[in-house]
Amino acid sequence: MGRRIVIAVDEGEESLHALTWCLKNVILPSASAQESSSGGDEGDVLVLVYARPPRLYYPAMDGTGYIFSTDIITSMENYANELAKSVIAKAEMVCAEYPNVKVETKVKDGDPRDVICDMVDKLGADMLVVGSHGYGPIKRAFLGSVSSHCAQNVKCPVLIVKRPKS
Amino acid sequence: MGRRIVIAVDEGEESLHALTWCLKNVILPSASAQESSSGGDEGDVLVLVYARPPRLYYPAMDGTGYIFSTDIITSMENYANELAKSVIAKAEMVCAEYPNVKVETKVKDGDPRDVICDMVDKLGADMLVVGSHGYGPIKRAFLGSVSSHCAQNVKCPVLIVKRPKS
């Protein structure tokens, strides 16, 4: 009976705020050990989804004539991996305050809009939660608003959580 | 401690679906009589908001030279009032299945986008719930998407509930 709720996480404060709000206001925890007499463990499953930027296309030579060495490429990819780990670790730390909530994590390469919509579809999610400024001001300028794209394209209810200005 | 959750209702099936989904998935009912030992009655308050089309401007004579009689104007206004009553009655019937949920209703004249955003602001709502096709295909064509307008303009989290296609 538990619902499967997908939440998009990224390195921005907005997504951490959305996660916290969602844990406080939406997620039903599973029955704790003491209350398990009813048999079924019917809490929601919270699925953290992180879209890792896809392996970039590095031209052999950029406009300034500078050639990317293999070392630099490797270190950029390492950075992307470390960032993914750190985003997930931070989100899991927030979830750890709610020990009776079942949490899964999914990391996938690609455009966040596609990754999120595909994951919602694939998992048959009951609800999608996104921060309103899903991907920070710079990325957002290039990507368009992730939240409005998702609201238009997924089939399930979408909760858009805004970060309070204070 | 109860939250104040605003839901936009109208004559469309989408808004009834959103209301039902919200009652099932989001609203925390207040403690029933048996459980009131804790003292506080901490359930959510669900506020049904309906925007009644504003009193139209009737030109004395339309393009075809036809003059609206006072009777016609009166009957159009009566229709708007009856529609408002019927929308609210339908929504209240849905809510009646959840007797422990506190429900308030607000009917206000105006463009739904303004009425909803103003009401959320005025009530300091904790969440706004809207159907994805807030106002039917014809009205939507004139009004633009109510749900996306609200998602951009209110400060609180916004839940957009889509009607399943099946």
Side-chain angles (χ1 to χ4, degrees), chain A:
Chain A
M1 297 289 280
R3 302 167 301 176
R4 188 171 285 273
I5 296 177
V6 168
I7 182 160
V9 293
D10 70 352
E11 58 276 22
E13 284 298 316
E14 286 87 2
S15 92
L16 279 185
H17 174 74
L19 175 61
T20 309
W21 199 91
C22 172
L23 281 160
K24 269 193 200 151
N25 286 279
V26 179
I27 299 291
L28 296 174
S30 58
S32 64
Q34 294 94 326
E35 303 172 43
S36 63
S37 56
S38 62
D41 191 338
E42 299 182 346
D44 296 332
V45 177
L46 182 62
V47 184
L48 309 172
V49 174
Y50 174 69
R52 188 169 47 189
R55 191 178 284 247
L56 294 169
Y57 166 72
Y58 304 106
M61 197 178 282
D62 71 6
T64 61
Y66 182 82
I67 297 174
F68 282 120
S69 74
T70 325
D71 280 0
I72 290 176
I73 294 174
T74 310
S75 82
M76 285 168 98
E77 280 172 5
N78 284 346
Y79 172 72
N81 288 337
E82 289 306 315
L83 186 63
K85 274 187 211 160
S86 123
V87 168
I88 292 292
K90 242 186 195 173
E92 284 178 334
M93 242 172 63
V94 173
C95 296
E97 291 178 35
Y98 299 80
N100 290 328
V101 173
K102 279 172 284 183
V103 178
E104 292 175 8
T105 61
K106 307 271 181 194
V107 177
K108 224 181 131 188
D109 292 348
D111 182 319
R113 293 173 297 184
D114 300 331
V115 168
I116 295 165
C117 292
D118 289 353
M119 197 60 80
V120 165
D121 212 36
K122 196 176 137 194
L123 297 174
D126 295 291
M127 189 196 238
L128 168 65
V129 182
V130 283
S132 65
H133 292 172
Y135 287 85
I138 296 169
K139 273 201 194 174
R140 188 156 34 99
F142 292 98
L143 294 173
S145 166
V146 173
S147 56
S148 66
H149 176 90
C150 293
Q152 278 163 23
N153 288 281
V154 303
K155 286 176 201 143
C156 67
V158 177
L159 175 64
I160 301 174
V161 182
K162 306 197 168 189
R163 191 184 169 197
K165 282 188 184 150
S166 64

